[in-house]
Amino acid sequence: MSSKINNTRLSKYLSYLLRHCEKPLGLERDAVGGVDLLELVQAINASNEHEADVNVDVEDILEVVATNNKSRFALYCNDTRIRACQGHTVEVADAAFSEAVPPPQLFHGTSVYALESISS
C-alpha cells in the first residue's frame, strides 16, 4: 500500500526537475521552462526516483504550489502547465517579462526628502 508523499520532498524534487533538468524526466519544456502538469505526474510516477512505493497525483503538486512559502512554482495555461519561477540553471525565457516599447513619459514616485538627490 502506498502512503502520501511528503510535501517538502516533493517540492525539492520539483525544484530539481523544473530548475535544473534540460528535459525533466524526458519531457519537453516550452519557452518559459514549463511542462504539462499531467505528463509530469505520469513521468514522476513512472520514474520512481522521488520515493519508493508512493504515487504522486495532480492534487499533491497543486498543494505544493499553493503552500510553498517562497512561491517557487507557477501554474499557467488554465493550470495545465507548471514551471519553476526562479533559480534555473537551464536556459528559459522569463515568463514575467516581455519586451515592450516604453511610453513617451515615465514617472518615478519618491518622497520630497529624496527629490533633490534624485534630481541632481
Side-chain angles (χ1 to χ4, degrees), residues 58-108:
V58 171
E59 288 75 26
D60 293 326
I61 293 179
L62 294 178
E63 184 176 340
V64 167
V65 172
T67 60
N68 186 275
N69 63 345
K70 295 184 180 179
S71 300
R72 286 189 170 110
F73 312 104
L75 297 170
Y76 58 104
C77 291
N78 294 321
D79 295 346
T80 63
R81 300 191 67 80
I82 184 171
R83 72 180 300 271
C85 294
Q86 72 272 339
H88 295 85
T89 57
V90 295
E91 186 77 25
V92 297
D94 191 332
F97 301 103
S98 60
E99 198 169 311
V101 176
Q105 191 172 19
L106 293 174
F107 295 92
H108 173 75

Side-chain angles (χ1 to χ4, degrees), residues 7-115:
N7 275 3
T8 301
R9 289 188 68 176
L10 180 57
S11 178
K12 289 180 180 183
Y13 187 57
L14 290 173
S15 289
Y16 163 73
L17 292 174
L18 298 174
R19 292 168 65 189
H20 307 297
C21 295
E22 193 70 40
K23 288 181 73 171
L25 299 173
L27 300 177
E28 292 292 330
R29 293 175 174 275
D30 59 23
V32 296
V35 297
D36 183 87
L37 182 58
L38 292 176
E39 289 178 8
L40 178 62
V41 168
Q42 292 169 348
I44 288 172
N45 289 329
S47 75
N48 280 325
E49 290 179 5
H50 58 290
E51 286 185 20
D53 301 324
V54 177
N55 280 323
V56 174
D57 58 32
V58 171
E59 288 75 26
D60 293 326
I61 293 179
L62 294 178
E63 184 176 340
V64 167
V65 172
T67 60
N68 186 275
N69 63 345
K70 295 184 180 179
S71 300
R72 286 189 170 110
F73 312 104
L75 297 170
Y76 58 104
C77 291
N78 294 321
D79 295 346
T80 63
R81 300 191 67 80
I82 184 171
R83 72 180 300 271
C85 294
Q86 72 272 339
H88 295 85
T89 57
V90 295
E91 186 77 25
V92 297
D94 191 332
F97 301 103
S98 60
E99 198 169 311
V101 176
Q105 191 172 19
L106 293 174
F107 295 92
H108 173 75
T110 190
S111 68
V112 174
Y113 304 107
L115 185 59

